Amino acid sequence: MESYRIVPLSHLSAKQVMSIAQIHVLVIDSLLSELGLLVVQRYYQIASVDTSVIGCCAISQSGFPLGWAIGSSAPSQLNERLRAALGWRSLLRALIARPRLIWQIFISSRSASAPLKPDALELTYIGVDVPSRKQGLGRELLNAFLAQAQARDFQSVALSVEADNVGALALYAQAGFQVINSFREGRYNRLRMELKF
Ligand SMILES: CC(C)(COP(=O)(O)OP(=O)(O)OC[C@H]1O[C@@H](n2cnc3c(N)ncnc32)[C@H](O)[C@@H]1OP(=O)(O)O)[C@@H](O)C(=O)NCCC(=O)NCCS
């Protein structure tokens, strides 16, 4: 793997933010990915300037993103900003192209995961592009994210992960996350995990 540095999401160029969105669509199996690249790009554009967001990105020496970890103390506010930025028309267009997502969105809006505590941060996404995996980058990104969370005085980090995502589960467990709940969200079987500082 090319050498890299860890950089805050807010320091990336517009082109690098677009590349993160492209990797997201390729590696993260989520409702956001299913809404398509344009929606994911908008999400990261919004996140890169949102003060509730902590984002740590690994950028190679030649300037390409290799992976990232992103979270927010107000994840639903971030989703609301995305919806407002897209407008109902683009959202409807995205849904008309993918009608089966309508049910998934309905289910997600009634998600059984616990609400975020006031002094907690949600780790929303972490991903490493396929060629750079299994070389310690995921762990380094997660550690950088947790260090930022502690530096900002958050008392805990929570996340939801698919119950069959063996790699991510092992990564989180190694970092000290514990399963606190399990729930079903549409086609996803998820575990809720928490790390207290
Ligand atoms: C999960 C992910 C970020 C791990 O990134 P990575 O750079 O490959 O991880 P690392 O090399 O830092 O591995 C750290 C630890 O994670 C665990 N791990 C990572 N990949 C694993 C796999 N495929 N199977 C089992 N354990 C795995 C191991 O415990 C590993 O520690 P070890 O090497 O000492 O055994 C990466 O596989 C990925 O991007 N997956 C797709 C996106 C995703 O599922 N994100 C999580 C939900 S949003």
Side-chain angles (χ1 to χ4, degrees), residues 2-196:
E2 216 183 317
S3 63
Y4 59 84
R5 64 208 159 91
I6 307 281
V7 179
L9 177 67
S10 56
H11 289 197
L12 299 196
S13 67
K15 200 171 159 199
Q16 288 167 330
V17 172
M18 295 298 164
S19 302
I20 294 274
Q22 277 165 342
I23 308 176
H24 180 119
V25 171
L26 288 176
V27 308
I28 308 261
D29 179 19
S30 70
L31 183 56
L32 185 62
S33 301
E34 291 193 61
L35 285 168
L37 182 59
L38 289 179
V39 176
V40 181
Q41 283 176 342
R42 201 75 189 94
Y43 176 85
Y44 281 95
Q45 282 167 347
I46 293 167
S48 66
V49 293
D50 189 301
T51 52
S52 79
V53 167
I54 289 179
C56 303
C57 307
I59 304 296
S60 75
Q61 229 170 10
S62 44
F64 291 106
L66 304 175
W68 81 104
I70 183 175
S72 166
S73 54
S76 40
Q77 176 190 297
L78 202 57
N79 291 337
E80 187 48 39
R81 288 200 175 138
L82 174 66
R83 198 206 54 70
L86 290 171
W88 283 111
R89 260 199 234 158
S90 335
L91 206 55
L92 273 176
R93 233 178 282 133
L95 287 175
I96 286 166
R98 306 162 185 85
R100 69 189 176 83
L101 292 186
I102 294 171
W103 176 243
Q104 186 63 44
I105 287 179
F106 173 71
I107 294 286
S108 298
S109 69
R110 299 160 58 97
S111 161
S113 74
L116 206 56
K117 293 177 198 159
D119 53 3
L121 190 70
E122 175 96 14
L123 172 62
T124 38
Y125 301 110
I126 180 167
V128 170
D129 72 346
V130 176
S132 308
R133 284 193 193 163
K134 296 237 174 179
Q135 298 168 68
L137 183 52
R139 185 173 13 239
E140 198 174 330
L141 284 164
L142 181 58
N143 287 341
F145 178 85
L146 296 176
Q148 285 287 314
Q150 269 187 299
R152 289 221 216 156
D153 284 336
F154 287 102
Q155 297 301 305
S156 62
V157 172
L159 61 86
S160 297
V161 57
E162 276 184 71
D164 62 358
N165 191 341
V166 179
L169 277 169
L171 173 68
Y172 299 145
Q174 260 188 14
F177 281 85
Q178 293 188 331
V179 176
I180 53 167
N181 187 13
S182 65
F183 62 99
R184 197 171 167 83
E185 197 175 55
R187 71 181 174 91
Y188 301 105
N189 277 315
R190 295 197 195 279
L191 298 177
R192 189 77 182 154
M193 299 183 89
E194 185 183 57
L195 172 70
K196 287 187 181 155

